[in-house]
Amino acid sequence: MARGPLVGREGERERLAEALGRLLDGDGRPDRVQVLVLEGEAGAGKSRLVAELVDQAAAAGVPVLAGAGDAVERNTPWHAWQELFGRLPAFDVHDKASCRRVVLDLLGPDPELRDLAPLLNPVLGLELPETAASAELSGQGRAGRTRDLLVRLLRAAVGETPTVLVIEDAHWLDSASTGLVLALSREHLPLLLVVATRPPGDTGTLTDDLGWAAYRRLLRAPDLELLVLDRLSSDAVRDLVGQRLGVTSVPDALARLVESKAEGNPLFTEELTSALREAELVRVVGGRVELASEV
């Protein structure tokens, strides 16, 4: 379904723009990671807000790193970060030999760190043979050391360049990936970290205790802003219905019907409006909306 300009969410859009401004201006503590969590049910508009932020960052010349949780891969460690690292220019994951050289150079001469480099195989596909140091690690110890290495690589990749890092569908992250989000939130980097997720307890959200524990700690990050996307206002629903129908005026009866059925959810509002039109219960004639008697 084609989407028009974002309707409503003025407050959230303003706070996202302000966060990007702080990143660019270096206001306050420029080296401290800003964390902004967008929390809302499915269809609440999280992705639309993220897309607008990404467009604004691109227009300002700010690099954007992006990854996302996936319902199918929710039990695959580091899945969201595979995509993100795969898009970093420094790590050519299609050239294994080059990627291995870059990673080892970034890890530096410390033999202990270089011995742990095989831990990065699941994320970067390095195909490095296990060493005695990496092979002896298991469970949370292995995940923790892998996380430390990934933070080190991201720190090197970001450097002093103001950067936006987006993780969408965070409710489908595995616990290791959520732990890396938490670890990054504690770093001193010119980074705006945006996490989009469904509310705790929503259908399809994180199911393991470790993942939720990391998310709860993330919400206590010192420079975190939590934006909870509630239902659209009545005026915003009316505007969105008008946008979908291509009209400037929406009958009160139609606006009330859509608001009551879609409960202020932007996606459901759009889908219901389109369904009513396809069923010819709503028609647009000469730029005016006509309702069938059944509505």
Side-chain angles (χ1 to χ4, degrees):
M1 179 171 55
R3 297 293 182 86
L6 183 61
V7 173
R9 305 301 188 205
E10 286 81 5
E12 293 85 353
R13 296 161 75 182
E14 182 178 346
R15 290 172 70 179
L16 283 166
E18 289 173 350
L20 181 60
R22 287 193 297 270
L23 177 70
L24 290 170
D25 296 339
D27 186 29
R29 293 177 292 179
D31 63 340
R32 186 73 183 233
V33 173
Q34 292 183 80
V35 186
L36 204 153
V37 175
L38 293 174
E39 193 177 275
E41 62 182 8
K46 300 183 295 296
S47 293
R48 298 290 300 280
L49 285 166
V50 167
E52 185 169 290
L53 174 67
V54 168
D55 288 344
Q56 291 173 354
V62 177
V64 177
L65 308 177
D70 184 275
V72 176
E73 302 288 350
R74 62 193 306 174
N75 294 317
T76 302
W78 313 111
H79 174 74
W81 297 96
Q82 293 170 3
E83 175 187 10
L84 189 148
F85 274 94
R87 293 178 177 176
L88 282 172
F91 304 105
D92 185 354
V93 294
H94 301 293
D95 184 340
K96 304 296 184 186
S98 172
C99 194
R100 284 193 290 267
R101 287 194 299 272
V102 169
V103 168
L104 292 174
D105 285 346
L106 291 177
L107 292 180
D110 187 334
E112 181 180 354
L113 286 178
R114 296 172 77 91
D115 282 346
L116 294 175
L119 298 178
L120 298 170
N121 286 342
V123 184
L124 295 171
L126 300 177
E127 298 179 358
L128 286 169
E130 290 276 4
T131 64
S134 63
E136 71 178 8
L137 294 171
S138 61
Q140 288 304 302
R142 189 177 185 89
R145 296 309 300 269
T146 304
R147 181 182 62 242
D148 294 342
L149 294 177
L150 291 172
V151 168
R152 187 182 183 94
L153 294 183
L154 280 169
R155 193 187 302 127
V158 171
E160 298 180 359
T161 303
T163 302
V164 173
L165 191 155
V166 175
I167 298 294
E168 292 201 75
D169 293 328
H171 47 275
W172 284 325
L173 292 181
D174 60 279
S175 58
S177 292
T178 308
L180 181 52
V181 173
L182 174 63
L184 275 178
S185 74
R186 297 168 172 169
E187 288 293 306
H188 291 268
L189 289 169
L191 189 70
L192 172 56
L193 175 59
V194 180
V195 180
T197 182
R198 292 181 191 171
D202 197 359
T203 303
T205 54
L206 287 165
T207 56
D208 62 279
D209 292 339
L210 289 173
W212 275 124
Y215 181 69
R216 287 192 293 270
R217 290 198 297 275
L218 174 67
L219 293 180
R220 296 196 293 270
D223 289 321
L224 180 137
E225 284 190 83
L226 175 62
L227 304 186
V228 178
L229 305 186
D230 295 320
R231 58 187 297 166
L232 292 177
S233 68
S234 298
D235 288 343
V237 170
R238 183 185 294 271
D239 290 344
L240 188 52
V241 172
Q243 182 189 92
R244 293 303 303 164
L245 296 176
V247 298
T248 56
S249 179
V250 175
D252 291 342
L254 177 59
R256 287 195 298 268
L257 171 68
V258 173
E259 183 177 8
S260 66
K261 297 294 185 182
E263 298 181 339
N265 182 291
L267 177 61
F268 300 163
T269 295
E270 291 182 312
E271 290 181 339
L272 178 56
T273 303
S274 295
L276 289 170
R277 188 171 192 177
E278 289 170 7
E280 298 187 349
L281 296 173
V282 172
R283 294 184 295 272
V284 178
V285 180
R288 294 174 59 86
V289 177
E290 295 183 355
L291 306 182
S293 59
E294 295 90 339
V295 176

